[in-house]
Amino acid sequence: MKQILVATDFSKCAANAMAYAMELATILGREVCAIHAIHPTEGINNSTYNAIFIEDYYNNKREALKEWVSTYTNDDKYKNVKVTTLCDVGFLKAVITRYVDKHEVELLVMGIMGATGISGIVGSNASMVVTKIKIPTLIIPLESKFENVPMITLATDFETRLSAVDVNALNEMIKAFGSAKMQVLYVAEKTDAEQVQIWEARLRDLIKHTDLEFNYIQGSSALNGIMNFIQSHETDMLCLVKHHHNIVYRLFTRSTVNQVMNKSVKAILILHE
């Protein structure tokens, strides 16, 4: 069965992301795997442990993860969600990549501090994952809570084509939510009416199970246009398409995605071409 993968460091942010993922798994009928990456030097340099007892340290971590997950598996409303755990040694990117290579992961979920905590997905695991790993990734700020029927906004440049995997994941989510509409946002210096009609038709062919409401903002930078739109329009989940040359890539490499998070306090779904 397809899985939702949740990366955890046992923080409040991770707990909020896990709660969000469990709600999502209930609706989608998916399994959940909670994964924790043990840094290669962790435990060895810890004053309490040394290399002789490193396996005991790893076992303690595995048990701690199982106990952390039990908060959710013991909840009756999640009784139909199968949850597994994995503690693996390595950097987070490598640990996730090894797991994804062997399992059918539909979505990766990660938590971040968001507006009320430290500002900085710069250099963080969330920033690294969305720029390095090509699976749909849902980033959940600490303040963001699950909505049964979320209002989804897709910010696009139209020219970037979504991968088949990401289109399928988005369609399955929309269908499961029963969303009546999805907002599509295009920000540009100017638009070509004829080309816009072609792009709209192409996107309607890709996105099923909901009506698409197209919104256009001209004369604004992509970042400002996105932030202004989500502040003035209800948006529970903002979808951004990552491409090496487009605004989403620049958002993450320049860390300005923090501005989106800090002003919108919404979940962000990162899709790929």
Side-chain angles (χ1 to χ4, degrees):
M1 178 181 283
K2 293 180 180 178
Q3 293 184 336
I4 296 173
L5 185 62
V6 183
T8 178
D9 57 1
F10 306 109
S11 65
K12 289 182 179 180
C13 298
N16 188 54
M18 183 67 176
Y20 198 109
M22 292 295 287
E23 294 282 358
L24 196 55
T26 301
I27 291 178
L28 294 175
R30 297 291 184 261
E31 297 178 356
V32 171
C33 178
I35 190 168
H36 176 71
I38 303 174
H39 192 279
T41 62
E42 185 179 339
I44 295 175
N45 293 334
N46 189 304
S47 59
T48 309
Y49 299 93
N50 57 44
I52 298 175
F53 302 107
I54 192 61
E55 191 56 39
D56 288 338
Y57 181 82
Y58 294 160
N59 286 333
N60 288 339
K61 278 282 189 173
R62 296 182 185 108
E63 290 303 314
L65 180 58
K66 290 178 182 178
E67 183 177 351
W68 186 81
V69 163
S70 68
T71 301
Y72 309 94
T73 55
N74 291 337
D75 191 324
D76 285 342
K77 68 178 179 178
Y78 302 134
K79 62 183 179 181
N80 294 324
V81 179
K82 180 181 178 181
V83 181
T84 56
T85 61
L86 174 68
C87 266
D88 199 1
V89 180
F91 297 103
L92 183 61
K93 175 182 177 293
V95 170
I96 291 175
T97 300
R98 285 196 297 266
Y99 188 86
V100 170
D101 285 345
K102 297 178 181 179
H103 299 82
E104 194 173 5
V105 176
E106 185 172 41
L107 182 69
L108 170 64
V109 180
M110 300 184 70
I112 65 168
M113 282 299 293
T116 62
I118 59 172
S119 175
I121 93 167
V122 185
S124 71
N125 283 327
S127 179
M128 175 274 298
V129 165
V130 298
T131 55
K132 300 294 184 182
I133 298 179
K134 289 188 176 181
I135 59 173
T137 302
L138 187 60
I139 301 173
I140 311 296
L142 185 59
E143 301 85 352
S144 186
K145 304 301 177 186
F146 183 81
E147 295 287 342
N148 288 322
V149 186
M151 176 56 69
I152 301 173
T153 296
L154 171 65
T156 179
D157 60 7
F158 282 129
E159 296 176 6
T160 302
R161 301 205 177 191
L162 287 168
S163 71
V165 171
D166 288 49
V167 168
N168 183 64
L170 182 56
N171 274 322
E172 289 193 12
M173 291 174 67
I174 291 171
K175 183 179 180 180
F177 289 142
S179 301
K181 72 173 182 178
M182 182 177 78
Q183 300 172 141
V184 179
L185 174 63
Y186 177 69
V187 183
E189 293 299 322
K190 60 181 180 178
T191 58
D192 181 298
E194 184 176 342
Q195 188 63 52
V196 162
Q197 289 184 347
I198 296 173
W199 285 333
E200 288 185 4
R202 183 186 299 162
L203 197 56
R204 284 194 176 98
D205 287 339
L206 290 177
I207 307 299
K208 310 295 185 180
H209 316 299
T210 190
D211 291 331
L212 300 184
E213 178 187 274
F214 291 91
N215 301 269
Y216 296 91
I217 297 178
Q218 297 188 54
S220 172
S221 70
L223 175 60
N224 289 336
I226 290 172
M227 290 196 296
N228 290 338
F229 182 84
I230 59 180
Q231 284 182 309
S232 59
H233 293 72
E234 178 187 1
T235 298
D236 299 302
M237 185 181 295
L238 174 65
C239 300
L240 300 174
V241 185
K242 190 185 82 66
H243 179 277
H244 182 78
H245 298 296
N246 75 2
I247 181 60
V248 179
Y249 183 85
R250 295 196 299 273
L251 280 175
F252 278 93
T253 54
R254 296 179 185 179
S255 80
T256 49
V257 73
N258 256 340
Q259 297 177 48
V260 176
M261 285 294 196
N262 289 344
K263 291 192 176 183
S264 68
V265 196
K266 304 294 182 182
I268 291 187
L269 176 62
I270 305 300
L271 304 173
H272 305 80
E273 66 170 353

